[in-house]
Amino acid sequence: MMQHRPSSAFNSPFWTTNSGAPIWNNNSSLTVGPRGPILLEDYHLVEKLANFDRERIPERVVHARGASAKGFFEVTHDISQLTCADFLRAPGVQTPVIVRFSTVIHERGSPETLRDPRGFAVKFYTREGNFDLVGNNFPVFFIRDGMKFPDMVHALKPNPKSHIQENWRILDFFSHHPESLHMFTFLFDDLGVPQDYRHMEGSGVNTYTLINKAGKAHYVKFHWKPTCGVKCLLEEEAIKVGGSNHSHATQDLYDSIAAGNYPEWKLFIQTIDPDHEQRFDFDPLDVTKTWPEDILPLQPVGRLVLNKNIDNFFAENEQLAFCPAIVVPGIYYSDDKLLQTRVFSYSDTQRHRLGPNYLQLPANAPKCAHHNNHHEGFMNFMHRDEEINYFPSRYDPSCHAERFPIPPALCTGKREKCIIEKENNFKQPGERYRSWAPDRQERFINRWVDALSDPRVTHEIRSIWITYWSQVECFFLIIRDGHMIQADKSLGQKLASRLNVRPSI
């Protein structure tokens, strides 16, 4: 029997589940139709995420390094025609919030000057329960299907043998996922190292759904814009700042609030009528894409003000827990594949990290009256003085709340694992790169040359990336008075010439 004990060696010619069943598709979730909602019966997906969620004790697997602050959100513009969410019911309505900013990949004690996405999570304590808007400082993500999330994080995390983060592992993994190019135009851009948390944007990243009282649904993306502007650190500045204070962003946030210099962000939304989504050359539910602002302009909603520091770091930062599944009436999920998996994974992670009753912790508990029959379990300190812990009962007057609308879309399709139809992986990264000034383009190229120069990056992987970037930025001509005066090299060719590699476009 010992010869069949679990092993990490390559002793099977194919992937299997923990119970040994063969896996024929380790890339796509099981959905209703090519882009329908994910099925809970996808045991492989649930097992993969559940194992991944339990890999660290007790530090967060991702977003371990963070800082929190409290304040309020105030509605400034009426969007009641789009949603029946109570906290958005009218201009002037204020809702208490707690916000956590974080780095994503690195450990709890890591410097805050490392090139890394930043988390931007807001917990609204509304009159109808909590709403967790969990996002990042970039509007897109590396992958579009949560099936690949554990693999992605493993590639970005340190080498399990040496515990050193290495470019060759990252470039190897993402060479299989060209949809990641858009995210890399943010991460390898100057935006990759924010100056601090006050001077960075936030994004809900995923597509949610707004529903109004009549039941009409609109897809929505959320955007936070800092009133003090966006500022970043270039390499030399990051080294200087990080060398003197590895907690500079945490200290800046704390000191600014203590001094009365309250950070503020404006909340904007973009919306799409689901009946009109086919007019786009990309899938609006694909998190590797942004929605063009010239077609779908930003609509102002309100302002977020952080005016109070937390009272205890452990209670209100380490025990603070967010989950994209926590929504309120008037806001719902979409069939965004990444959001669908986050709905399960985040709450599963928090139950593992903090216990099954993590929502009873003060930072996570709703501030409105709440009642259910969730019973006992580890660290349950809810005061209960009742004899009825079941439903329904003629001894307990508790009843169902007033019905509220959810998206009316009809789900049809066969069970299948597949990618979305309109990938369009190269158009938006190219548009973003071409929008930069030449010096910003040059810094981006230098960062890629440095990453691709890793001695363990093979010729094959290097060629793949050059080919990807060649498709992002093709040859373009500069025409003046009907005459061609310059032919500029593509981004891929610039990388190839500096790395002495021939691109296979």
Side-chain angles (χ1 to χ4, degrees):
M1 294 297 293
M2 292 297 290
Q3 63 179 318
H4 298 296
R5 66 184 179 183
S7 171
S8 63
F10 300 130
N11 54 4
S12 171
F14 45 74
W15 295 105
T16 72
T17 64
N18 284 345
S19 58
I23 297 169
W24 70 270
N25 185 331
N26 193 30
N27 287 311
S28 302
S29 306
L30 187 65
T31 58
V32 180
R35 59 191 291 270
I38 289 171
L39 297 175
L40 186 61
E41 71 184 59
D42 190 349
Y43 171 74
H44 169 47
L45 170 67
V46 173
E47 178 190 71
K48 185 175 181 179
L49 290 171
N51 276 269
F52 172 72
D53 291 342
R54 290 163 173 81
E55 286 184 356
R56 299 290 189 275
I57 300 173
E59 182 177 285
R60 288 173 169 90
V61 178
V62 289
H63 299 277
R65 171 69 138 126
S68 304
K70 294 183 283 190
F72 65 89
F73 174 78
E74 181 181 12
V75 179
T76 57
H77 292 74
D78 185 8
I79 61 167
S80 58
Q81 78 281 5
L82 293 171
T83 177
C84 59
D86 177 74
F87 79 103
L88 298 172
R89 63 188 178 275
V93 173
Q94 289 192 357
T95 301
V97 300
I98 187 168
V99 179
R100 187 174 188 267
F101 306 101
S102 56
T103 58
V104 175
I105 291 300
H106 303 284
E107 294 94 336
R108 192 158 53 191
S110 58
E112 292 178 313
T113 50
L114 298 177
R115 185 168 298 276
D116 194 15
R118 301 304 196 265
F120 195 121
V122 183
K123 187 183 293 291
F124 299 80
Y125 299 107
T126 87
R127 301 192 307 183
E128 292 187 328
N130 293 350
F131 169 46
D132 287 359
L133 183 54
V134 190
N136 290 330
N137 64 323
F138 301 148
V140 294
F141 201 61
F142 293 103
I143 53 172
R144 57 170 68 98
D145 193 317
M147 179 67 83
K148 302 310 300 177
F149 191 80
D151 299 301
M152 179 201 75
V153 174
H154 287 170
L156 290 166
K157 285 282 190 180
N159 185 322
K161 185 174 183 179
S162 65
H163 199 66
I164 299 172
Q165 188 185 39
E166 296 169 324
N167 283 332
W168 67 270
R169 289 166 36 84
I170 298 171
L171 297 177
D172 174 30
F173 172 76
F174 286 112
S175 70
H176 298 275
H177 299 282
E179 70 267 27
S180 66
L181 267 68
H182 201 185
M183 180 67 164
F184 277 116
T185 63
F186 287 88
L187 184 60
F188 275 42
D189 181 25
D190 295 346
L191 297 176
V193 184
Q195 176 177 293
D196 49 58
Y197 296 132
R198 292 184 300 122
H199 291 90
M200 72 178 194
E201 296 182 340
S203 172
V205 182
N206 293 111
T207 301
Y208 284 84
T209 306
L210 296 180
I211 313 102
N212 64 18
K213 291 181 180 179
K216 174 60 180 176
H218 285 83
Y219 293 143
V220 62
K221 280 186 178 290
F222 297 95
H223 303 275
W224 298 105
K225 304 289 185 180
T227 58
C228 59
V230 175
K231 295 182 180 180
C232 308
L233 297 175
L234 299 183
E235 280 75 0
E236 298 79 8
E237 297 170 314
I239 293 172
K240 182 178 179 180
V241 171
S244 59
N245 183 359
H246 81 295
S247 299
H248 81 283
T250 297
Q251 183 172 355
D252 174 82
L253 179 67
Y254 189 93
D255 289 349
S256 296
I257 295 174
N261 182 21
Y262 302 141
E264 181 175 335
W265 288 260
K266 303 292 186 183
L267 176 63
F268 296 86
I269 59 172
Q270 290 175 288
T271 60
I272 293 178
D273 187 327
D275 296 334
H276 302 156
E277 63 171 296
Q278 295 304 321
R279 63 179 173 145
F280 299 101
D281 61 0
F282 61 92
D283 190 326
L285 305 187
D286 180 356
V287 294
T288 68
K289 303 293 185 293
T290 55
W291 294 356
E293 294 182 16
D294 57 337
I295 301 174
L296 303 166
L298 297 176
Q299 305 175 50
V301 177
R303 67 188 188 114
L304 169 70
V305 179
L306 299 181
N307 59 4
K308 189 178 188 304
N309 280 312
I310 57 177
D311 300 310
N312 179 272
F313 186 81
F314 179 77
E316 295 180 300
N317 186 78
E318 295 306 290
Q319 289 193 133
L320 183 59
F322 295 89
C323 175
I326 297 179
V327 295
V328 293
I331 301 176
Y332 203 70
Y333 324 117
S334 74
D335 292 339
D336 172 343
K337 284 190 176 184
L338 191 68
L339 176 60
Q340 291 266 320
T341 47
R342 293 176 82 204
V343 164
F344 160 76
S345 184
Y346 275 61
S347 57
D348 188 54
T349 298
Q350 306 299 6
R351 292 186 186 101
H352 165 63
R353 191 173 69 89
L354 298 172
N357 293 299
Y358 77 96
L359 289 176
Q360 293 183 20
L361 292 167
N364 304 320
K367 307 308 178 190
C368 61
H370 55 288
H371 173 65
N372 56 55
N373 291 326
H374 297 173
H375 197 53
E376 299 177 351
F378 291 107
M379 298 299 291
N380 190 321
F381 54 88
M382 169 128 2
H383 174 71
R384 290 191 178 275
D385 186 21
E386 68 254 359
E387 297 177 282
I388 308 303
N389 60 353
Y390 50 86
F391 179 86
S393 169
R394 292 181 174 86
Y395 295 95
D396 186 345
S398 300
C399 59
H400 290 121
E402 181 181 347
R403 184 172 181 174
F404 54 85
I406 60 174
L410 179 66
C411 297
T412 60
K414 63 181 181 180
R415 293 179 176 90
E416 54 186 321
K417 285 176 174 275
C418 58
I419 61 175
I420 66 171
E421 294 179 354
K422 293 189 286 188
E423 288 191 83
N424 205 349
N425 294 322
F426 304 105
K427 180 181 177 182
Q428 290 193 2
E431 292 172 343
R432 178 169 166 77
Y433 173 81
R434 288 190 293 274
S435 71
W436 296 337
D439 59 333
R440 190 169 175 179
Q441 292 181 352
E442 181 67 17
R443 290 191 293 270
F444 180 80
I445 292 171
N446 288 338
R447 291 174 190 127
W448 270 100
V449 169
D450 181 64
L452 291 168
S453 297
D454 186 310
R456 292 194 64 177
V457 173
T458 64
H459 176 77
E460 177 190 15
I461 293 174
R462 196 173 287 123
S463 297
I464 289 171
W465 279 105
I466 289 173
T467 300
Y468 283 164
W469 289 119
S470 296
Q471 294 178 75
V472 161
E473 173 71 9
C474 298
F475 283 104
F476 64 93
L477 306 179
I478 297 177
I479 308 294
R480 183 173 296 164
D481 298 328
H483 299 285
M484 184 185 74
I485 60 173
Q486 182 179 349
D488 200 357
K489 290 183 178 179
S490 72
L491 171 56
Q493 285 201 323
K494 290 177 180 177
L495 289 171
S497 63
R498 299 190 192 190
L499 293 165
N500 196 27
V501 176
R502 177 178 296 177
S504 55
I505 303 176

